[in-house]
Amino acid sequence: MNALTRSNVVIRGQGQRPMVFAHGFGCDQNMWRFVAPAFEASHRVVLFDHVGCGQSDLSAFDEQRHARIEGWAQDVVDILEAADLHDAVFVGHSVSATIGLLASNAAPGRIGALAMLCPSPRYLNDPPDYVGGFERSDIDALLDMVENNMLGWANFLAPLAMGADSAPELVDELKASFCAIDPYITRRFAAATFLGDNRDDVPRLAVPALVVEMAQDAIAPPSVGQWLRERLPRARFEQLAGSGHCPHMTHPAETTELLRRFVGAGG
Amino acid sequence: MTAASQQPQSGPEPGPEPGPPRGPEARALTDGLPCAWLRLAPDGRILEAAAGTEQLVGAPPGSLAGREFDELLTLPSRVVYQTHLLPLLRLAGNTAELSLMLRGASGATLDVLFYSQRRADTTLDVLLAPIRQRRRIEDELVRVKRAADQAPMMVFQLLCEGGQPQRFPYASQTVRELYGCSPEVAAQSAEAVLAALEPASRERLCEALTTAARGNAPCRVQLQRRAAAGQPAAVHEFVATPRALASGAVLWHGYSADVTERLRLEREATQRSAAEESARVRKAFLARASHELRTPLNAILGFAQLLGRDGGSGLRPEQQQALGVLQSAGRHMLSLVNRLLDLSRAETEGFAPTLQPLALRPELEAVLEAMRPQAAERGVALHGPAPGRDAVVMADALSLRQLLTNLMSNAVKYNRPGGRVELDWAAAAPGRVCVTVADTGVGLGAAQREHLFEPFNRLGAEASATEGTGLGLVLARQLARALGGDIAVESMRGVGSRFSFELARAEGEPASGQGAGDAALAPACAGTVLYVEDNEVNVLLMRALLALRPGVTLLTAGSGAAAEALLDAPGTPPLQLLLLDLNLPDTDGHTLLQRLRARPALAAVPAVLVTAAAEESIGPVQGGVGFAERWIKPLEVDATLAALDQLLAPARP
């Protein structure tokens, strides 16, 4: 199967250097709509949906391949190869920061710079030295919550998202457009994301990196940022004042500016 | 609207004109109700909150404003909020019925449903509705769903309209594995599932559903799923029960399961029992056939032996010669019948002849001699091993001769005129001897060699004038294996073939030839014998045989009833010997003996079972003395007389 079709790859913009935007767990490429357009004048902007998200091909989900984050990273390598991208700036949010890290290590030359928004190489605590922020019971509760919300997320969340009186076509369109996620795959994506451990891959990163953090982030706490600072001495770390986990949605202007500086600096 | 067609935007688009609740009125509205209202900034900050909200989370009055909304949530809910809900609020603004968990005051948690609506100023009205009952229902639903999803079959609800499957309103997750589509896709249209079936199966399903719906009966049908990428074709069993809806549509509930493996096991079991049945029938047929052949052979050989007694003194020379032919042909036929039995036994139980030390050379020479007429007829020269050598091998003479005869016969038959056949032997591995039969025939190709040992496969010779059954080599291999070796073949087209097999060398001396002692010299016996036999020819033979023992009186009966009538008749003398045929018109030998043993006069009289069934065993008879001996037809005159003499031996004084 063509990786471009599989992952609903969208390529826009007039520039030469490719910029790949990878959404995190729980949403789709629509997440980038407040940031990515700013780079269309200077870059080839590449957007895509992870399998199970947005308009991706759900049948491409493979129980074995996608049981680990490495499988999702392989999907990204497939995209880079299918679109024949070289020296791309890869902007990955949350788990996709880790996915970009793995793809960069796996396919040298394809990714020339890595921007990581709110990354965490391991969400689970690993006492005594590593505080990821999550206990195993938190993750189990999260997986249950994903499953419970299957009832909501896929089926009856959307109808009221536009108001109860909306025409069904509009509802379907909305459902297909914003953060559409397949519940079955999402539960497995969540397990791969929140139970994974990619700390060993971090020091192997060989390209310039930017790490954007939020001052208060319940999902990627400051302890994770500190851990990363020690392992990525040459990376640039930027912290945005405020709370949250999605700077590209809550602080789009600042995020765009940080990315612009990173790209402009030859990152 | 697809992602590609979306226009870039610098911020969240304004939402639809918001309706109530809003502002202080809403505050008043929700105060005292079991739900909470808040107003959020676009980035998730709490701008204001109703008193109910403060109560729900156990916060002091007025303390919520300015805090982040996600601080009110448990950690797992924060993940859902940050990764899914917040992006959705930013993109769409209006959401409903997302389930989240609030952190209560004392560590308790509270499940709520989250509703939101965006105002023109991009702030959000949020309503939180606690759910308790619904949470329990949800938990129950998830439990049921997990069970259904873990089942190795697709559990479904299928809606049919106008006899056509429309969609699967519910399909468990196994639909992915069985049909390669998600439950959501199947819920939109049944096509994704139906397209995975062979066209004929798809048609069959529609017909079966229509028929079953008409009779309001369950539908059970097996369907062929087409081979898909990475998946072989499979057989699915589709089982469902109908429920007619008022609209005329039919709602089916049921399951579909992959039964490929189960069917394969069932098929194998059927084939196995068919093979066993076929083996049983064949064995029974062979036993029956051999029995049917032995009965007339009994007469032929018996009378021929009687005629030939005392050197056939009453016969003219040409009659003596004809008698010799009759006897040798009869014996040959008997050995064939025995061989037939051996083979049937070999197929069912494994053939195990008794191996004993045997001089090899005389066997080879005997076979060579026997083959000469056939070879001469075809202009084929026979060559034996160089003179002066011999080896003692472990073998059974009959099996070895049969094996050599089969190989030699093929070598002659499939030779060319003026060709030659060499029969020879040589030392092989230590303790082994290799016997070879080499011909100058047409030879065999690789493909022919592959099918050499298939029963009834004549490898193309069926098109030639050469007669054969296609069984010779099959039997030869069986014999070679029974003798502890196997048949090896070397062959070259146009040059010839060489068949060989190995035998083990014997440690000891060859067994001496069978010295059939002359029983005629035994002391004459006397007594009264009852022979129960329905075949008149057999009776005639026994009468002729017993005529050689003038002291013996023979009484005969044609059935069990006739025998008992005879015994009941006044004047019947006491019996000294019972000869009972196995197969009688009204009973069998075993049963008859049991009945006769009930008579005090016969309780201890020796009894012999006379049978053509070589396999018949003579176990003990219930409640009495069993058969002392078993005489196999055809009867050997000398051996029979010797046995008779022993059974009727005059009591020693």
Side-chain angles (χ1 to χ4, degrees), chain B residues 336-378:
Chain B
L336 281 181
V337 169
N338 287 338
R339 178 61 69 207
L340 203 60
L341 264 186
D342 285 345
L343 281 172
S344 81
R345 211 178 296 134
E347 277 189 11
T348 47
E349 298 151 27
F351 171 52
T354 315
L355 304 188
Q356 52 186 11
L358 190 68
L360 181 58
R361 186 172 192 90
E363 302 302 322
L364 301 187
E365 277 170 358
V367 173
L368 275 172
E369 280 317 302
M371 290 305 301
R372 288 209 189 281
Q374 195 187 337
E377 197 181 307
R378 295 184 183 248

Side-chain angles (χ1 to χ4, degrees), chain B residues 128-364:
Chain B
L128 300 175
I131 44 172
R132 294 184 178 87
Q133 187 59 26
R134 185 185 130 153
R135 181 62 194 216
R136 276 195 289 278
I137 294 169
E138 240 177 44
D139 285 346
E140 190 58 29
L141 255 176
V142 167
R143 204 181 355 258
V144 171
K145 185 169 158 48
R146 275 188 192 150
D149 289 346
Q150 290 303 312
M153 55 181 62
M154 173 179 87
V155 180
F156 64 76
Q157 188 183 50
L158 169 64
L159 184 71
C160 281
E161 280 167 7
Q164 290 301 310
Q166 297 297 320
R167 56 199 182 84
F168 290 89
Y170 171 75
S172 61
Q173 294 292 344
T174 311
V175 69
R176 295 172 191 266
E177 202 182 306
L178 292 185
Y179 301 103
C181 68
S182 68
E184 290 73 29
V185 169
Q188 276 165 21
S189 163
E191 185 56 31
V193 170
L194 297 178
L197 300 173
E198 291 287 351
S201 282
R202 184 182 174 144
E203 228 167 89
R204 190 161 60 239
L205 174 62
C206 292
E207 281 167 19
L209 287 173
T210 307
T211 310
R214 207 176 292 135
N216 195 28
C219 168
R220 177 183 288 266
V221 61
Q222 285 185 357
L223 306 170
Q224 301 280 336
R225 210 227 34 231
R226 290 194 298 196
Q231 273 191 309
V235 182
H236 289 176
E237 190 167 64
F238 183 100
V239 181
T241 48
R243 212 178 100 198
L245 302 182
S247 64
V250 180
L251 196 57
W252 295 86
H253 292 88
Y255 68 87
S256 177
D258 187 333
V259 294
T260 315
E261 181 63 12
R262 193 191 83 202
L263 291 179
R264 189 182 63 78
L265 293 175
E266 283 174 2
R267 201 162 46 240
E268 276 177 8
T270 310
Q271 281 169 353
R272 203 162 39 239
S273 77
E276 280 163 8
E277 175 63 8
S278 144
R280 196 192 60 74
V281 166
R282 189 164 44 176
K283 189 181 170 190
F285 167 77
L286 284 170
R288 179 88 193 142
S290 106
H291 177 269
E292 293 295 333
L293 290 169
R294 274 166 186 276
T295 302
L297 271 174
N298 186 36
I300 293 168
L301 285 174
F303 282 112
Q305 284 178 72
L306 286 172
L307 278 173
R309 282 188 70 79
D310 308 326
S313 52
L315 301 177
R316 294 194 304 276
E318 69 271 23
Q319 285 177 321
Q320 280 184 17
Q321 207 186 345
L323 185 64
V325 172
L326 185 64
Q327 278 184 313
S328 94
R331 283 187 197 290
H332 181 63
M333 189 158 172
L334 180 61
S335 77
L336 281 181
V337 169
N338 287 338
R339 178 61 69 207
L340 203 60
L341 264 186
D342 285 345
L343 281 172
S344 81
R345 211 178 296 134
E347 277 189 11
T348 47
E349 298 151 27
F351 171 52
T354 315
L355 304 188
Q356 52 186 11
L358 190 68
L360 181 58
R361 186 172 192 90
E363 302 302 322
L364 301 187

Side-chain angles (χ1 to χ4, degrees), chain B residues 25-88:
Chain B
E25 318 90 82
R27 248 190 114 124
L29 191 67
T30 54
D31 283 353
L33 283 179
C35 61
W37 170 86
L38 333 94
R39 194 159 66 88
L40 299 184
D43 63 1
R45 218 158 14 92
I46 300 174
L47 298 174
E48 53 180 321
T53 315
E54 290 154 354
Q55 284 158 18
L56 272 185
V57 298
S63 67
L64 289 181
R67 290 176 65 184
E68 296 290 334
F69 172 70
D70 77 332
E71 291 172 18
L72 307 183
L73 303 174
T74 63
L75 185 54
S77 285
R78 286 178 97 160
V79 175
V80 172
Y81 172 81
Q82 290 287 353
T83 60
H84 184 70
L85 181 54
L86 183 69
L88 207 55

Side-chain angles (χ1 to χ4, degrees), chain B residues 579-601:
Chain B
L579 303 177
L580 306 183
D581 183 37
L582 176 63
N583 293 315
L584 292 166
D586 58 348
T587 183
D588 66 86
H590 297 288
T591 313
L592 181 56
L593 180 63
Q594 205 176 321
R595 288 178 61 88
L596 295 185
R597 287 296 188 216
R599 294 168 183 265

Side-chain angles (χ1 to χ4, degrees), chain A residues 8 10 12 25-31 33-34 37 40 55 58-59 133-135 138 141-142 144-157 160-163 173-174 176-179 181-185 187 194 218-219 243-246 249-250 252, chain B residues 1-13 16 42-43 68 70-71 74-80 82-84 86-88 90-101 111 115-116 134-135 138-139 141-142 145-146 149-150 173 176 180 182 184-185:
Chain A
N8 185 30
V10 173
R12 296 209 198 95
F25 166 82
C27 199
D28 60 23
Q29 59 179 278
N30 281 300
M31 277 190 123
R33 65 193 316 181
F34 308 131
E40 284 178 18
Q55 306 289 296
L58 301 187
S59 70
F134 289 80
E135 290 299 335
D138 295 324
L142 169 65
D144 282 353
M145 182 156 285
V146 170
E147 198 157 11
N148 271 21
N149 272 310
M150 273 181 185
L151 309 167
W153 286 15
N155 294 327
F156 52 79
L157 174 60
L160 281 164
M162 293 263 305
E173 187 181 66
L174 190 74
S177 300
F178 298 132
C179 300
I181 47 181
D182 179 82
Y184 181 87
I185 300 174
R187 191 183 181 282
F194 291 99
I219 299 176
S243 167
H245 186 64
C246 299
M249 303 219 73
T250 54
Chain B
M1 179 163 65
T2 67
S5 69
Q6 283 163 24
Q7 291 307 307
Q9 288 164 22
S10 56
E13 58 274 76
D43 63 1
E68 296 290 334
D70 77 332
E71 291 172 18
T74 63
L75 185 54
S77 285
R78 286 178 97 160
V79 175
V80 172
Q82 290 287 353
T83 60
H84 184 70
L86 183 69
L88 207 55
R90 296 283 288 167
L91 293 166
N94 302 345
T95 60
E97 294 199 34
L98 192 90
S99 137
L100 293 173
M101 210 183 274
D111 289 295
Y115 298 80
S116 72
R134 185 185 130 153
R135 181 62 194 216
E138 240 177 44
D139 285 346
L141 255 176
V142 167
K145 185 169 158 48
R146 275 188 192 150
D149 289 346
Q150 290 303 312
Q173 294 292 344
R176 295 172 191 266
S182 68
E184 290 73 29
V185 169

